[in-house]
Amino acid sequence: MKKGHIIGLGIIAVAILIIVSMIGDASTYESFATAKTMMTKGEDKPIHVVGELKKNVSGTVEGIEVNPDKTSFYFMMVDNDGTEQKVFYNEPVPPDFARAEQVVVIGSYKNEELFVADKILMKCPSKYQENEVSTAGM
């Protein structure tokens, strides 16, 4: 074989190894129940839990407790299965956090009572949505 063929095969083999290793790290959306089961089995791999912030009957977010130093906070979240869970995040409250339509927390349980989020992803209402369609220049 020529050197070019060997180098090409080597590059393809490395690319396949990278793709296979990334597939193993891919995460799906789970529930708090699944995360708790993983904790009891001794698995501490971070998982994604999707849900909404807990709201009262008037639609106001409740359950956000900011620590006095404002560098971390607790909040109540309800996953897609309806499980309500207290979540801790060791970062300041993100801007417009209370306006989020959906929240994805990436983390794991540290004990039976508390889910600790390493990252928070938010789906906020778009500020570019228009309530009325207007005609431009007519």
Side-chain angles (χ1 to χ4, degrees):
M1 275 192 177
K2 294 182 179 180
K3 273 188 175 180
H5 289 87
I6 294 172
I7 292 172
L9 289 174
I11 290 172
I12 291 171
V14 169
I16 290 172
L17 286 173
I18 290 172
I19 291 170
V20 168
S21 69
M22 291 175 80
I23 289 173
D25 291 340
S27 178
T28 59
Y29 293 125
E30 301 291 345
S31 65
F32 285 122
T34 305
K36 196 172 278 193
T37 302
M38 288 176 63
M39 191 261 310
T40 57
K41 290 181 180 178
E43 298 176 38
D44 60 351
K45 181 179 118 178
I47 65 166
H48 294 68
V49 179
V50 64
E52 297 177 351
L53 298 175
K54 182 181 176 187
K55 296 179 181 173
N56 60 21
V57 283
S58 65
T60 306
V61 174
E62 60 182 25
I64 297 177
E65 303 170 20
V66 180
N67 287 333
D69 58 4
K70 297 191 188 309
T71 59
S72 61
F73 68 104
Y74 295 89
F75 62 96
M76 296 301 292
M77 183 175 152
V78 181
D79 69 6
N80 288 340
D81 292 343
T83 305
E84 191 175 299
Q85 177 60 52
K86 188 173 194 173
V87 179
F88 174 74
Y89 187 53
N90 196 22
E91 294 287 331
V93 179
D96 293 333
F97 182 70
R99 293 184 55 211
E101 290 178 359
Q102 271 192 331
V103 178
V104 178
V105 290
I106 304 169
S108 60
Y109 276 95
K110 300 304 178 199
N111 60 43
E112 291 285 326
E113 304 292 320
L114 187 65
F115 186 90
V116 178
D118 300 321
K119 287 184 182 178
I120 295 178
L121 308 172
M122 300 179 302
K123 180 183 177 194
C124 292
S126 176
K127 58 179 137 182
Y128 302 109
Q129 289 178 340
E130 291 187 52
N131 293 335
E132 298 179 19
V133 178
S134 60
T135 56
M138 289 192 183

